[in-house]
Amino acid sequence: MIIEIPDRLIAGFSETEIRLKIALSLFQAEIFTLGQASKFTGMNRRDFQRELGKRKIPIHYGQEELNEDLKNINDLLSDSNQ
């Protein structure tokens, strides 16, 4: 999906800042998971979590995030056993 935002509406903001604002908003609305939001911004999860903390936005951790974390752990374990 491509969204065009007129320059006059985002004057003074970098693409990175705009992506962060969008990701924070979608995360807060529980549309993005932590992984999706951090990926959208190009940040690692830890840095995105720091941004959440700075803004006092609580981390909601549900079944989808748990499944994603378990998959990542299994992938790491599989890679280390090869």
Side-chain angles (χ1 to χ4, degrees), residues 19-34:
R19 284 183 166 276
L20 179 59
K21 289 179 183 298
I22 291 169
L24 289 166
S25 179
L26 294 175
F27 178 80
Q28 211 167 5
E30 298 188 21
I31 295 169
F32 271 3
T33 64
L34 183 61

Side-chain angles (χ1 to χ4, degrees), residues 16-72:
T16 302
E17 291 169 319
I18 296 296
R19 284 183 166 276
L20 179 59
K21 289 179 183 298
I22 291 169
L24 289 166
S25 179
L26 294 175
F27 178 80
Q28 211 167 5
E30 298 188 21
I31 295 169
F32 271 3
T33 64
L34 183 61
Q36 290 169 324
S38 58
K39 185 175 180 178
F40 181 80
T41 62
M43 304 171 102
N44 64 46
R45 284 183 186 213
R46 184 176 298 154
D47 289 340
F48 187 75
Q49 286 177 322
R50 282 191 190 110
E51 292 296 331
L52 292 171
K54 287 179 192 176
R55 292 161 175 79
K56 301 192 183 329
I57 298 171
I59 297 173
H60 32 270
Y61 191 83
Q63 188 65 45
E64 188 173 342
E65 289 86 6
L66 175 60
N67 291 341
E68 191 174 331
D69 285 346
L70 291 173
K71 180 189 175 304
N72 289 335

Side-chain angles (χ1 to χ4, degrees), residues 66-80:
L66 175 60
N67 291 341
E68 191 174 331
D69 285 346
L70 291 173
K71 180 189 175 304
N72 289 335
I73 290 168
N74 285 329
D75 290 347
L76 288 170
L77 291 174
S78 294
D79 290 345
S80 68

